[in-house]
Structure formats: C-alpha cells, structure tokens
Amino acid sequence: MLSRAALSSSRTLVPALGALGSRQKHSLPDLPYDYGALEPHINAQIMQLHHSKHHATYVNNLNVLEERYREALEKGELLEAIKRDFGSFDKFKEKLTTVSVGVQGSGWGWLGFNKEQGRLQIAACFNQDPLEGTTGLIPLLGIDVWEHAYYLQYKNVRPDYLKAIWNVINWENVTERYMACKK
C-alpha cells in the first residue's frame, strides 16, 4: 500500500511495511536441481507446474500486494504526519532507531501522539514504564529493546536488531492507532 513516490522520499513505511521501500521486487528463485531430479517419486511435470506456475503466482502476488501497500501509505495521513513532524520518513526512522539504540539496559523506543499539540513525537521509556503514564503520549508504535527481544538472534548488537525490526512493523495497526487517537 506504499507508492513508489512515498518510498523514494521515505524508503519505508510499511514492512508490514518497513522494508518495502528498500526491497527490490521479488523474483522466482531457480531450483537448485532439475525438475526431474525427484523422479520417480515426484515427476518433472508436477515440479515444473508447481515451480513455474504456482510458486511464480505467489511471488507475483506478493509484489502486487507490496505495491498496493506502498500506494496506500503514500496517500495515508500517517505518512503525511510523519513528514510534517520529522521532515521525512527516513529522518523519522533514523531518530526512532537512535533513541531506541540509546536506551540503557531494558526498555522501549516509541512513536507516540501528543494529543494537546496534535503532533507525533518519539520517546524512550526504561524498563516497564508506560509511555502514556510517563510522557502523556498515546502509543502508536513501540519497539521492544529488552535484550530478550533480540539477544538469541542478534546477540548484543542492538543496532542490527533495530535495522531488521523495520521489516516487520504492522503499519496498518500503527495507522489505525493514529486515526483513533486523532478523533
């Protein structure tokens, strides 16, 4: 639901949308073996059909879906608010990542809505401190920077985790939260 134009300036607001802006279109990978390699158990015709037709359809549909996300986000109020309050999506992403990396020990990096000012703001909360209770901001997006969220995969390299987390953010949910708190 993000458009190319939104992503050229923001590069990501989805990942689901975080990575959609920086990701190239998906392509059907080659099989590492010939279609007939599994015969007599699975014949070449079945393998060719599943790979070149079914798998290819899934890949093509994924590309279509990601393009729709780009288009929707470009038109969305959340992206416009991010551009207004941070200058661009890239600047927002950089600032939230920096704040999240900077949390000492355990805590959260947040995108919140300041209802009094009608603006988006970034904040960090330590340990289990709630965003709204400590800052007055309404939570829109929280990034868990407790080590349990990333240590098994990223060890103690929090910046690598924060780079990857943008690929899995549920932007539909963040947008719904933003629209609800504006009412």
Side-chain angles (χ1 to χ4, degrees), residues 94-123:
E94 181 181 330
K95 184 171 183 180
L96 182 54
T97 298
T98 300
V99 165
S100 299
V101 166
V103 172
Q104 295 298 310
S106 299
W108 294 79
W110 289 100
L111 171 64
F113 182 71
N114 183 321
K115 196 143 180 118
E116 289 180 18
Q117 297 178 4
R119 299 186 80 72
L120 301 173
Q121 291 182 325
I122 290 173

Side-chain angles (χ1 to χ4, degrees), residues 1-3 7 20 66-74:
M1 293 185 193
L2 281 179
S3 77
L7 291 173
L20 291 182
E66 286 184 350
E67 182 62 28
R68 286 181 185 162
Y69 271 122
R70 286 183 196 104
E71 291 169 5
L73 285 177
E74 179 190 50

Side-chain angles (χ1 to χ4, degrees), residues 82-99:
I82 286 172
K83 289 178 182 177
R84 177 195 68 215
D85 296 339
F86 302 105
S88 70
F89 184 82
D90 286 338
K91 289 179 184 175
F92 152 71
K93 182 178 170 181
E94 181 181 330
K95 184 171 183 180
L96 182 54
T97 298
T98 300
V99 165

Side-chain angles (χ1 to χ4, degrees), residues 2 5 19 40 49 77 80 115 120 134 152 168 171:
L2 281 179
L49 174 69
E77 289 185 45
E80 293 307 311
K115 196 143 180 118
L120 301 173
T134 57
L152 289 176
V168 296
W171 289 105

